[in-house]
Amino acid sequence: MSTNKPALLISACLLGEAVRYDGQAKGQAPDQQAALAERFRLIPTCPECAGGLPVPRPAAEVCGGDGAAVWQGTAQVMTADGQDVTAAFVRGAEHSLALAQQHACHLALLKANSPSCGNRQIYDGSFSGQRQPGEGVCSSLLHQHGIKIFNEAEIEELLHSVDNKI
Ligand code: SF4
């Protein structure tokens, strides 16, 4: 095993850990996991669990903007029944950033559409299944610190980006 493999921060649910709000995982196909493990040191994180939220937990969405707006103080993360869980999302994102920095991660593979991990779209806060462009709370913080983020539909692009540097 090469000790020079780059570190990849990865959503724990994409590695098969049952940490999602509904108590499920979203693991990748074995061949994709093997390809990732071959090229990267995998650093799993679940920002929502790191922020102290339980499994399972109520579904939450960013209301009033996206993750960037949460960091600007103009949006909140709310559950469908009106509980403000912004502080836990912020705490978990900061924990994930510290982990990424500790392992010198410049790349991340995060679960699409999540209010924490989404990198291109998130649900729009109406709890109606509608999405809006924008990053989740953790993705926004990682992005602000120069970490390039891919989602599970972009694994080939992620692998190619590394292969092209070899
Ligand atoms: Fe997966 Fe991220 Fe949600 Fe945790 S916060 S369950 S890692 S999508």
Side-chain angles (χ1 to χ4, degrees), residues 11-13 19-21 45-49 57 111 114 116-117:
S11 291
C13 60
V19 290
R20 279 167 46 93
Y21 73 96
T45 187
C46 174
E48 292 174 25
C49 293
R57 54 189 173 275
K111 176 77 187 72
S114 151
S116 287
C117 293

Side-chain angles (χ1 to χ4, degrees), residues 38-154:
E38 186 177 324
R39 288 177 176 80
F40 298 103
R41 276 187 299 121
L42 301 179
I43 311 297
T45 187
C46 174
E48 292 174 25
C49 293
L53 294 171
V55 180
R57 54 189 173 275
E61 297 189 6
V62 182
C63 298
D66 65 356
V70 168
W71 293 108
Q72 291 161 3
T74 58
Q76 295 78 39
V77 190
M78 307 292 294
T79 64
D81 63 1
Q83 186 187 355
D84 186 334
V85 288
T86 309
F89 273 65
V90 164
R91 194 161 54 236
E94 290 172 340
H95 180 278
S96 294
L97 174 63
L99 186 67
Q101 291 176 329
Q102 179 188 341
H103 290 276
C105 298
H106 301 294
L107 298 168
L109 174 61
L110 301 183
K111 176 77 187 72
N113 306 322
S114 151
S116 287
C117 293
N119 68 331
R120 301 194 183 280
Q121 290 189 316
I122 56 172
Y123 291 99
D124 71 357
S126 65
F127 293 91
S128 62
Q130 297 298 310
R131 295 178 198 151
Q132 62 178 348
E135 298 173 309
V137 177
C138 183
S139 286
S140 176
L141 184 66
L142 296 174
H143 190 184
Q144 289 171 48
H145 286 78
I147 296 173
K148 188 168 183 187
I149 302 166
F150 298 80
N151 65 44
E152 71 274 23
E154 300 167 335

